[in-house]
Structures are given as structure tokens and as C-alpha cells.
Amino acid sequence: MFGDIMFCNQNYKFGVIPKKDGYAIRLALKPGYITSEQLDAISYIAKNFGEDRIHITTRQGIGLKIKFEYLEEAERLLNDVGIKLGSTGKRIRQIVACIGTECPNSIGDSIKLAGMIHDEFEGIWVPKKLKINISGCPNDCTHHQFCDIGICFRYILKIDKKECSECGKCRSFCEVDAIDWKNKVIKENCIGLGECLKLCNAIKVEDKVISIFIGGKGGRFPKRGKFLANVKTENGVIKVIDGIIELYTKFGKGRVCDFVEHVGIESIKKSLKEKGLI
């Protein structure tokens, strides 16, 4: 099922990119929030060691440029406020999350889960850079289906036939036509957002799950990730990600999308099932 093994052997300072006149440094920020104390430290470094400006990255991270001689001092000041250098190279990159429970559409706490993933996997070596995005609902604000591992909180819905009055309001309500009004069932193509819960008391939440997708990719030639599994708990997500990384680190030769294409999504599912992870 899985063929040749590949191991990573590069070794360079994480989070530091040499430039002609200094270093560009990236910070490994815990997803969601940073404190005013941390902002003060970052501002001090930018003003006194660099160009007095800070770059907000596309992955909700922070990067700034400093002079060569200030790297050690800058790292010390960042460490003092709980920030490490990171998010470069063949590593698990900055975890991206939406605002989670701060949003009225939220189904789950994306920031909490993102923080758990950051604590568990931030900065570990992989064959190529690996990006993980988390959305608190299927609205996909983080574009979770277009990154290496995408995670989304969603509902599994059902129709209570006893409460259905056959009013027909739901007949054309769903944008993806997931409501079978005639047979009073929710079809498998339901994305699980739950907008229809506002429509009728007969539509109910049967379960809440965390869906995991794998092999997505942005960039010049974007690819949508493939559905891997529904998981019930945040700890279950951690275990699945760990299983994915183990397979990818041993057998991956390119990005995760290349790995999925090479070995096949069904082979990955089978291996994770054999380990009891999905």
C-alpha cells in the first residue's frame, strides 16, 4: 500500500530567513489572540532593531525584518513574552482559525482546537510545508478545504417525521438541495451549516461532528481537499492529525496533495482505520 520511505534531513534556524541587509523573522503565534504585552514587544523590536514596520501574513502570522546583529536579542525579547520564532521551512506552519464562538454562525470552538493543534504539532518537520486551517462552521471562512489538512465543525441533521406538518416551506430552501421533502430525509450532500434549523421545528440536529479534509492546496493551481472522516471530539482530531503526519512523514515525497494522489485517499482511510483513529 505504501512504498518508499522519505525522511527530512534539513537543519536551519526555524523562523529566520536571511536577506542581503538583515533577517526576515516570522513568529509562531498561538492561533486566535495575542496580548498587548506581546504587541508591545513586537513593536519595540520593529522600531529599534528593524524598519519600524510589521507584516501581517496571509496565515494570520506576523513577520518583520531586523538587522543581523539584533537576532539574538530579538529572540530573547520575544521568548520573554511567550513567543517563539517559527512558521518557515518544511514544517507545520502557522495554524489558521476563524473567530470561532465569537461568531453567531459558529458550531464549534475553532480557536480552542487550533490552540490544541498548535501546542501539539507546531514546528515539527514534515517532507514539505504543511498547512492546517480550521473553520467553526461550513461557511469556510478559513478556506479549510484548500489546504493540506482542513477541519470544519458541522451538524448532522435529520427530519422528525412526527413533527413535520408537510407545509412545504423546506422544498426549495436548501441551496444544495439536501432536503428530500417528499421522503422527509436529509440527503448525504448536506453541508451541515444548519440554516434550515431556523425554518422548521421538524428539522433537528442529530449530531455535531468535526469533519477532516486532506490534500487541499491553494496557490496558482488550487485543489479541493478530499473528505477523510468525521470525528466527535477535539482529542480525536489530534489523534487523526498525528496519524496523517506519521504516514506523510514516512511516505510523502511532495506536498500532502501529492501524497494523497500517490497513495490514494482510500488507502489513507484504511491505514487510519486499522490504527483505530477513524
Side-chain angles (χ1 to χ4, degrees):
M1 178 169 57
F2 294 99
D4 297 333
I5 296 177
M6 172 183 175
F7 295 97
C8 301
N9 56 12
Q10 285 192 348
N11 184 22
Y12 57 89
K13 192 169 183 63
F14 190 29
V16 179
I17 304 169
K19 300 291 184 180
K20 288 183 178 179
D21 53 349
Y23 294 116
I25 60 173
R26 290 185 190 167
L27 314 185
L29 298 177
K30 192 160 186 174
Y33 301 95
I34 57 177
T35 67
S36 57
E37 181 186 31
Q38 290 171 330
L39 283 174
D40 286 342
I42 295 167
S43 176
Y44 179 88
I45 292 167
K47 184 174 182 179
N48 293 279
F49 302 162
E51 300 176 337
D52 200 17
R53 60 179 183 172
I54 297 164
H55 174 58
I56 308 300
T57 74
T58 57
R59 294 196 59 76
Q60 301 177 346
I62 285 178
L64 58 156
K65 195 173 177 182
I66 62 173
K67 296 176 182 177
F68 290 118
E69 61 268 27
Y70 292 118
L71 177 59
E72 186 174 323
E73 178 66 8
E75 187 171 12
R76 184 189 66 78
L77 291 173
L78 290 169
N79 291 166
D80 286 347
V81 294
I83 297 176
K84 296 188 295 183
L85 298 178
S87 203
T88 58
K90 297 179 180 180
R91 308 261 192 162
I92 306 293
R93 295 294 186 88
Q94 178 81 30
I95 311 297
V96 171
C98 66
I99 61 173
T101 54
E102 295 292 323
C103 175
N105 294 318
S106 174
I107 296 171
D109 193 340
S110 58
I111 290 179
K112 174 188 173 185
L113 178 55
M116 292 172 65
I117 294 170
H118 172 90
D119 290 342
E120 188 74 24
F121 301 110
E122 183 269 326
I124 68 170
W125 284 107
V126 282
K128 293 285 185 181
K129 61 183 177 182
L130 193 155
K131 300 176 180 179
I132 302 174
N133 291 14
I134 307 164
S135 295
C137 79
N139 274 330
D140 194 18
C141 291
T142 66
H143 309 294
H144 63 266
Q145 291 193 59
F146 291 91
C147 65
D148 300 288
I149 299 175
I151 299 165
C152 168
F153 290 84
R154 58 184 291 266
Y155 292 126
I156 303 296
L157 301 172
K158 67 176 182 178
I159 296 177
D160 188 332
K161 296 181 180 180
K162 293 181 180 179
E163 291 200 25
C164 178
S165 64
E166 299 188 350
C167 67
K169 286 192 297 183
C170 66
R171 185 180 303 182
S172 58
F173 178 81
C174 181
E175 293 182 58
V176 296
D177 191 31
I179 301 174
D180 184 342
W181 176 78
K182 183 177 180 180
N183 295 302
K184 298 180 179 57
V185 295
I186 304 295
K187 295 185 283 188
E188 288 187 0
N189 66 319
C190 173
I191 65 172
L193 179 60
E195 284 291 300
C196 54
L197 293 169
K198 305 170 187 176
L199 181 72
C200 175
N201 289 332
I203 301 175
K204 300 183 181 299
V205 175
E206 183 173 19
D207 205 353
K208 186 173 80 170
V209 298
I210 309 171
S211 294
I212 301 176
F213 301 83
I214 182 173
K217 178 179 174 291
R220 194 180 312 166
F221 304 107
K223 294 182 179 180
R224 185 183 293 272
K226 298 180 184 296
F227 173 74
L228 181 67
N230 287 328
V231 180
K232 296 296 290 291
T233 67
E234 285 86 352
N235 286 331
V237 174
I238 298 295
K239 291 177 181 178
V240 172
I241 293 175
D242 190 50
I244 292 170
I245 292 172
E246 180 183 0
L247 291 174
Y248 176 51
T249 302
K250 287 181 178 178
F251 307 108
K253 294 185 177 180
R255 291 290 298 274
V256 172
C257 61
D258 303 310
F259 166 65
V260 173
E261 186 175 340
H262 175 66
V263 304
I265 186 67
E266 294 305 321
S267 292
I268 296 171
K269 287 181 181 179
K270 181 180 178 181
S271 180
L272 295 176
K273 284 179 182 177
E274 288 172 351
K275 296 174 184 290
L277 300 177
I278 62 174

